[in-house]
Amino acid sequence: MITKERIMEIIGNYDLDKLSIATVCSHSSLQIFDGARKEGFRTIGICVKKPPRFYDAFPKSKPDEFIIVDSYKDIPGIVDQLVARNAIVIPHGSFVEYLGHERFVDLAVPSFGNRAVLEWESDREKERVWLEGAGIHMPKKVNPREINGPVMVKYHGAKGGKGFFIAKNYEEFQEHVKPDEKYTIQEFITGTRYYFHYFYSPLRQEGYRLSEGILEMLSMDRRVESNADEIFRLGSPRELEEAGIHPTYVVTGNVPLVARESLLPLIFELGEKVVEESLSLFGGMIGPFCLETVVTDNLEIKVFEISARIVAGTNLYLNGSPYSDLIEPGLSTGKRIAQEIKYARSVGQLDKILS
Amino acid sequence: MITKERIMEIIGNYDLDKLSIATVCSHSSLQIFDGARKEGFRTIGICVKKPPRFYDAFPKSKPDEFIIVDSYKDIPGIVDQLVARNAIVIPHGSFVEYLGHERFVDLAVPSFGNRAVLEWESDREKERVWLEGAGIHMPKKVNPREINGPVMVKYHGAKGGKGFFIAKNYEEFQEHVKPDEKYTIQEFITGTRYYFHYFYSPLRQEGYRLSEGILEMLSMDRRVESNADEIFRLGSPRELEEAGIHPTYVVTGNVPLVARESLLPLIFELGEKVVEESLSLFGGMIGPFCLETVVTDNLEIKVFEISARIVAGTNLYLNGSPYSDLIEPGLSTGKRIAQEIKYARSVGQLDKILS
Amino acid sequence: MITKERIMEIIGNYDLDKLSIATVCSHSSLQIFDGARKEGFRTIGICVKKPPRFYDAFPKSKPDEFIIVDSYKDIPGIVDQLVARNAIVIPHGSFVEYLGHERFVDLAVPSFGNRAVLEWESDREKERVWLEGAGIHMPKKVNPREINGPVMVKYHGAKGGKGFFIAKNYEEFQEHVKPDEKYTIQEFITGTRYYFHYFYSPLRQEGYRLSEGILEMLSMDRRVESNADEIFRLGSPRELEEAGIHPTYVVTGNVPLVARESLLPLIFELGEKVVEESLSLFGGMIGPFCLETVVTDNLEIKVFEISARIVAGTNLYLNGSPYSDLIEPGLSTGKRIAQEIKYARSVGQLDKILS
């Protein structure tokens, strides 16, 4: 991983009045560019082969400039161009995935947030250490013999929502499990899914105070999963199985929702614990993050995953959410990121939010 | 129930230029405070033990002041403090539930709306008299022997979405019903749930006119119910039953939606009938209310319940809904309540909206 | 079909400074009137017997004037009144359905969009020629003997979401099919439904460029279908069948959603192909249209239908969507239509958008 010193050295040579915001042209780029432009930044879209045409339909939110690569794996080759443009890159899920974790952490361009989080987030075991260390309730990992209720079984190597199966008990598990594949088994929590979109600012002091900085909750969503969300029209899990049809859990989009107000104290508490633990473990998770949860019928919140950066569910709220509108009308997570960079520049603390 | 005369006597001693808006810190308090502040009122949050911290994340919508109680049952003990602050309390579902109906109706502080509605709303039999008297179609109450289609069975004493079961016919009912528990059986209406958020103003004259005042429809939502909304991923009702897993109907949040425009005439008609009947029965239901409905595939609307105050589904629309935005951009139900109080003050008719 | 020449002759006699916008009082009329008023047009609501009262609740969006007919079939009888008011009619689904296709195409009033599209859209075979000619993937039509996976069976004469059934394979098809009724069988695509709301402007040149004009994507929705969306609470398809209960697919409303940003290039490409093919086939589809799709777990988009005018799903976005807000805050499809007419007038090209 590139050192903080090296990044601050690069920033030291930047013309801070001409900072630009760069990201990969996918995932949540539209709101990142839109927010950056609204906050007065120049924007750079990194894309493969040629600029995606869909930005033309949203001219006010289109990047000011495109830098073209042959493959996202080649982003390290455009580092000089990015630095010459005083660029700060905003990582998102596709950025990190397309470039590759190992290349991302070494990228010699200032990046919004703390790159050290990747190591803790991408490794399932470390993620559990982090979250459970924070006192968060996660679905339990289960050994086959200990199955005594519904479980979700995930084959190693399965990708992007395929290669899961759900069993209601040990018998069903045995009946379905493929003999030669590796898997992990997790307790299946019955309830309703909520994805909470937080923002942690280590700089601000007014608001929901943490040990250093403040926590915001800007919005929430539920992911739309293909084909699991609509396959019940065809048959129940058992009926589908008899017909050789398999449920899959590939995210195709997002629907908006709000949670009961009586859950807000707990929702903030969960975000708080995760941030505080990140401060002890690896110097803190900066900026947007998401807790992926199930709310049970006892109104408990179980967290099954964390995303330590902007999530695509925030795309619902390009012009504000029921929560972010209370902070500032029309506030998106993309705009909030740009505001944080602008504020850090104004108080001379870019070192606290970049790595 | 405290008399109107007593309440008007209290208001008579208020400094009307310094009215404040108070409510219990839960349910829909964020929009009640937000709306009140936007309309220029001072706001008071009533909370247990200490102020909930989550308001810190929404500083523009945070109550100006908190009054702390040991238990919500102790709210009668802070009546003097509320009156000293010229407070009008805004009841919501949690306010009434936490304090208790019987204590709420006696509370010696001016309350937005008509307290007499509680008696008609909280008693299932009276609610049916009210709604059916208004010509509203409700799911039928069914005797066990008369079951000839899907039914919803609810045990007495069951709370908050648990202790329901659904049977498709008499055989299933018999198979599932617990011998020693009391229950009520209601026709199960197949269709899609819609919760319509109305506002009745007895003061205004411009708009959708009723016999006295006007009716608005500010928004609609569908409740998110845990675990019923997602449990189909695990199995069909029968498959779940074999595995000893039970569907529950606990509200965890809300999703936004709109209804076909061709249903709007009927939606307004239902609201109108309910208000008119309330005027005859108990002097009228004032301010926000919600009809909880199922829209069938014949485009009929069956009403299974009424909430005679602000509902949490309006939390989706803290900064406006597709409907309320047509009346005034960014209008929430919380803001609409504050506007009504402000208007009543300006025309000297607070007696028409308080009790 | 009335000729373009005749329509342009009528427009030739119009006072272009006093154009009015007229539509039938249903479907998406509220946003059509709202948008037209915001763009400075006079508005006319065409209604049966008497003006629907629900507009009174939205006074800023209410038509300036109503023209009353005994039956929508009688609209040809009010053509002179419409022409006298310099009216342009905005067709929507209910307008065309209530009036009847054959009467609509002959209506001697300028209509927004190209009437020739009706012939291609209302005939299932021609619709398939159009879409497949554009290179769009549609669910396959299947002969009974060729059924080798899930299918949707639709009886001829079935209306509005009833009279469909889903079979997982040939056996189920045989078991359910009624011997004496005509039907069509279509591949059932497993995935999640998305309805994309486009706008094609043949006039503008700045934006997502097509061969002539530009393409916009203003919003998307998922239809709420009664009772199919919630009937799984009662039982699986097989369990329901045993109980003699049948799923139906009647649209009662819409929920908002967004798609993965990585799908946007494909979403625009689909819209583009459909418009380009329409230009070759019948001179082009003008203004709003909707592709009704399923997004599979391979992130493919299958189009099962096209609506060549404003769809009711846009009613979710009367005050803007996550996408249209990027173009102009608060932009609805209704407002976009009014803007197009205003722009065409200003550049003297009404002939390009009316028929």
Side-chain angles (χ1 to χ4, degrees), chain A residues 150-151 166-169 172 188 190-194 206-210 215-217 222-223 225 228-232 236-239 249 255-265 268 272 295-299 321-330, chain B residues 24-31 34 38 52-61 94 98 160 162 222 224-236 238-240 242-243 245-256 312-313 315-319:
Chain A
V151 293
I166 293 173
K168 287 193 293 301
N169 46 45
E172 286 190 10
F188 180 92
T190 60
T192 43
R193 286 165 298 137
Y194 285 80
E206 302 283 308
Y208 187 99
R209 289 294 313 273
L210 305 192
L215 180 68
E216 295 172 327
M217 198 275 296
R222 181 169 63 219
R223 294 189 182 158
E225 294 180 346
D229 275 4
E230 305 199 17
I231 202 168
F232 64 87
S236 70
R238 193 183 296 160
E239 290 163 24
Y249 305 88
V255 291
L257 43 62
V258 297
R260 286 170 79 122
E261 192 174 301
S262 59
L263 289 170
L264 287 184
F268 273 90
E272 178 171 9
V295 179
T296 72
D297 57 11
N298 292 321
L299 299 177
S321 87
Y323 302 101
S324 71
D325 278 336
L326 295 181
I327 301 174
E328 176 188 308
Chain B
V24 157
C25 289
S26 190
H27 190 272
S28 51
S29 72
L30 206 43
Q31 72 170 294
D34 182 69
K38 281 177 178 154
R53 285 179 59 209
F54 76 84
Y55 293 112
D56 291 345
F58 307 105
K60 293 182 198 168
S61 315
S94 304
Y98 296 164
K162 294 186 183 175
R222 182 168 64 218
V224 177
E225 294 180 346
S226 182
N227 58 25
D229 275 4
E230 305 199 18
I231 202 168
F232 64 86
R233 291 185 168 200
L234 204 54
S236 71
R238 193 182 297 163
E239 290 162 24
L240 290 169
E242 289 167 14
I245 298 165
H246 302 292
T248 50
Y249 305 88
V250 175
V251 181
T252 61
N254 309 269
V255 292
N315 290 339
L316 285 159
Y317 306 110
L318 281 160
N319 202 26

